[in-house]
Amino acid sequence: MRKWLLVLLSLVLIVGTLFAQGAKEEVKFPNKKVTIIMPWGLGGGPDTIARKVASYGEKYLGVPVIVENKIGGAGTIAMDALMQASDDGYTMVVSNGPLFSLTPAFVQVNYTIEDITPLIGMRIVEFVILSNPKYSNIKTLDQLIALGKSGKSIKYATTGGPGNDSYTMISVLFKKLGLNAQAVPYSGGQDAINALLGGHVDIAIGSPPVYREYVKSGEFACLGTFIPDGIEVEGIGRIPSFKEQGIGAEFVGMDYFAVKSSVDDAKKAVLTKFIQDVYADPEFTAFMSSLGMEAWTATEDEIIKEIDLQTIAMKEYIDLLK
């Protein structure tokens, strides 16, 4: 009898130890690398910022953070990868508004806004239309209009295909200008800029930080921005909006970090705190300043509100392009 009691006591101790270890592992989240899925190509604006954020993984999260580019399908390849990932909190994504407000109108998608939880904003996207005067002699919007009306078919670089925000807005611009133009989709902002740099296209669309140094050096000219009130870019000066130039084409984009909505709330809080710590780091602040930008610290509710507003605004442009 005494022997059986000893065995039972041992079992109780073993089970108790296992429970204790399980609880201990749970509070250790994360205890392995975290992945950020990037829907767009290497070297673009969101890719550049996400990789900088990831470089602080060991410092503020205690584990490595890596960025994986999964490009294509106007961002839907990356969103599909997120939907297929485990809901253990080890996979984040960089998402934007158009993946919900615009892309479903052009591409069949396997997700809804309810499938994700935005953690924190990354940046406000300020798209600018650019020319390379060395090849086109275009430095202003009026010169672009004159060239188009001369009968030339204008080739313009985008950072994706139909359903992509840059594709939509630059296509809307040419539609509203009534010019004959042909889109040439690339896989990201840096590829589009490289195409303009090499004279493979007449016009390109870009966002900070990708185009900034080319404009400062005089290689590129800014024809306008979709931000309604225009933008002031350090080292470049003020870039007027198309609205100010009499063209009704407005767009305020946004990028943000998100996870699957099925991820545990406590893990969402850990990941959000990690990015908040990075944003508060003086070195990261200086990095963003060097790009002429600030981190967009919007909350989940603020991001969802902006997506809702953008969904209403996109309807006109979707109807125009369909």
Side-chain angles (χ1 to χ4, degrees):
M1 186 69 175
R2 185 177 178 185
K3 184 177 180 181
W4 277 106
L5 283 173
L6 288 173
V7 171
L8 182 60
L9 180 60
S10 298
L11 287 172
V12 169
L13 289 173
I14 291 171
V15 172
T17 301
L18 289 174
F19 272 112
Q21 286 178 341
K24 193 175 181 181
E25 287 178 1
E26 189 175 337
V27 299
K28 275 186 174 178
F29 173 82
N31 57 23
K32 62 181 182 180
K33 75 176 180 184
V34 172
T35 298
I36 301 173
I37 297 176
M38 174 58 58
W40 305 287
L42 285 167
D47 181 75
T48 299
I49 298 171
R51 289 182 183 278
K52 187 64 177 178
V53 170
S55 72
Y56 291 89
E58 295 280 5
K59 181 175 182 179
Y60 290 119
L61 203 56
V63 298
V65 178
I66 64 168
V67 177
E68 288 187 357
N69 299 78
K70 295 185 181 296
I71 61 177
T76 59
I77 299 296
M79 292 302 293
D80 286 345
L82 179 70
M83 292 300 102
Q84 293 167 11
S86 170
D87 59 0
D88 57 6
Y90 286 91
T91 305
M92 291 191 281
V93 70
V94 174
S95 188
N96 67 10
L99 281 167
F100 302 93
S101 66
L102 174 67
T103 308
F106 294 92
V107 181
Q108 181 176 350
V109 302
N110 301 312
Y111 58 82
T112 70
I113 192 66
E114 285 75 25
D115 291 323
I116 70 156
T117 298
L119 299 177
I120 186 171
M122 172 192 273
R123 66 165 188 165
I124 292 294
V125 181
E126 300 171 333
F127 280 136
V128 170
I129 298 300
L130 303 148
S131 67
N132 184 341
K134 175 182 175 182
Y135 292 105
S136 65
N137 288 321
I138 298 171
K139 291 184 178 179
T140 67
L141 183 62
D142 287 341
Q143 290 174 337
L144 171 65
I145 294 171
L147 182 64
K149 290 187 174 179
S150 72
K152 175 180 170 58
S153 177
I154 297 169
K155 293 171 65 176
Y156 59 88
T158 75
T159 64
N164 168 273
D165 50 4
S166 80
Y167 176 97
T168 297
M169 293 317 302
I170 192 171
S171 298
V172 163
L173 177 67
F174 280 107
K175 282 274 186 182
K176 294 210 169 191
L177 291 173
L179 302 181
N180 183 21
Q182 175 189 355
V184 183
Y186 290 89
S187 60
Q190 188 61 58
D191 290 341
I193 292 302
N194 289 342
L196 183 64
L197 193 63
H200 306 299
V201 295
D202 303 302
I203 297 293
I205 187 169
S207 64
V210 181
Y211 69 83
R212 186 164 172 254
E213 294 304 315
Y214 296 108
V215 177
K216 287 172 65 177
S217 68
E219 290 177 275
F220 289 174
C222 295
L223 308 189
T225 176
F226 295 99
I227 301 295
D229 296 328
I231 55 175
E232 188 76 33
V233 181
E234 185 180 350
I236 294 177
R238 188 171 187 279
I239 302 174
S241 70
F242 292 113
K243 179 182 178 182
E244 292 170 327
Q245 299 181 76
I247 310 299
E250 304 174 24
F251 179 77
V252 181
M254 76 206 81
D255 294 328
Y256 53 88
F257 292 93
V259 293
K260 291 173 70 173
S261 56
S262 52
V263 172
D264 181 81
D265 286 345
K267 293 177 179 177
K268 292 175 184 172
V270 169
L271 296 173
T272 302
K273 178 69 164 50
F274 158 59
I275 300 171
Q276 288 173 331
D277 287 344
V278 173
Y279 285 178
D281 189 295
E283 192 230 24
F284 181 80
T285 303
F287 165 77
M288 291 295 284
S289 180
S290 72
L291 303 179
M293 304 174 66
E294 294 180 355
W296 185 47
T297 58
T299 63
E300 175 188 353
D301 289 345
E302 291 170 334
I303 293 167
I304 293 295
K305 180 181 178 182
E306 290 300 320
I307 292 173
D308 289 342
L309 292 173
Q310 191 179 80
T311 300
I312 297 171
M314 285 292 103
K315 188 175 185 312
E316 175 197 349
Y317 303 143
I318 292 169
D319 292 342
L320 187 64
L321 296 184
K322 278 194 166 182

